């Protein structure tokens, strides 16, 4: 934490850009305000404002009792990770339409969260792989 604080302080005081290359995506989330992801020497994603890409969202949907998440199918769902009561979905599309779709299943909770570097990286790698198949 001290190291991260010193890096941030240095970039502000000296008004410099610091480039960090790392596989520890969780650590980078705390200190980066822009990113560029590479895969096999190619840029697969980049942003200078935030992790949130246009039309790419993470939704967490929770039910009070066990729910059959196989019932939740839509083309905008790009990734899913579900347990018996909670589903986490990476979706690409219009935020309001996605939220309305999930609402139609009457969950106890619908929460729109921020994508992590790791989730974005996994999504981008999977999409790149499909494009080259």
């Amino acid at each position: 934490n001290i190291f991260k604080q010193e890096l941030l302080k240095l970039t502000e005081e000296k008004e410099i850009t610091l480039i960090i290359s790392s596989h520890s995506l969780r650590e980078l989330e705390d200190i980066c305000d822009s990113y560029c992801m590479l895969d096999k020497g190619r840029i697969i994603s980049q942003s200078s404002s935030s992790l949130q890409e246009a039309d790419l969202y993470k939704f967490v949907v929770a039910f009070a009792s066990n729910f059959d998440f196989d019932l939740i199918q839509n083309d905008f769902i790009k990734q899913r990770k579900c347990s018996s009561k909670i589903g986490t979905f990476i979706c690409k599309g219009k935020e309001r339409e996605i939220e309305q779709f999930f609402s139609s299943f009457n969950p106890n909770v619908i929460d729109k969260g921020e994508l992590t570097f790791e989730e974005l990286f996994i999504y981008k790698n999977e999409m790149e792989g499909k494009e080259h198949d």
Side-chain angles (χ1 to χ4, degrees):
N1 284 333
I2 294 170
F3 178 70
K4 287 192 263 185
Q5 290 171 357
E6 290 299 315
L7 283 178
L8 292 172
K9 186 173 145 186
L10 178 66
T11 59
E12 288 176 15
E13 288 176 358
K14 301 286 185 183
E15 296 182 7
I16 60 172
T17 299
L18 184 64
I19 298 173
I20 301 172
S21 175
S22 176
H23 286 88
S24 178
L25 301 178
R26 174 59 198 105
E27 291 292 320
L28 295 176
E29 280 182 288
D30 295 339
I31 58 176
C32 294
D33 59 5
S34 62
Y35 71 91
C36 176
M37 287 188 183
L38 303 173
D39 184 40
K40 297 180 181 115
R42 291 178 311 135
I43 295 174
I44 61 171
S45 181
Q46 62 184 355
S47 173
S48 59
S49 55
S50 74
L51 269 181
Q52 192 65 48
E53 291 200 348
D55 298 333
L56 192 61
Y57 304 97
K58 176 171 74 172
F59 280 90
V60 178
V61 181
F63 295 86
S65 57
N66 290 351
F67 183 81
D68 182 5
F69 282 96
D70 289 337
L71 297 172
I72 299 179
Q73 298 291 331
N74 198 296
D75 288 340
F76 59 66
I77 297 173
K78 303 304 179 187
Q79 287 181 346
R80 66 175 60 227
K81 185 176 181 180
C82 302
S83 66
S84 59
K85 297 178 184 177
I86 300 172
T88 302
F89 300 88
I90 307 297
C91 303
K92 187 165 182 71
K94 292 184 169 55
E95 178 183 0
R96 186 76 185 125
E97 289 176 13
I98 296 167
E99 193 166 357
Q100 287 175 340
F101 171 77
F102 287 126
S103 293
S104 71
F105 293 93
N106 298 314
N108 292 73
V109 175
I110 299 174
D111 183 38
K112 185 177 85 79
E114 292 291 320
L115 289 171
T116 64
F117 267 145
E118 186 173 358
E119 290 166 333
L120 181 61
F121 184 76
I122 290 168
Y123 169 77
K124 286 295 188 177
N125 277 327
E126 285 180 2
M127 290 302 105
E128 282 291 309
K130 289 178 185 177
E131 289 174 7
H132 293 98
D133 287 343

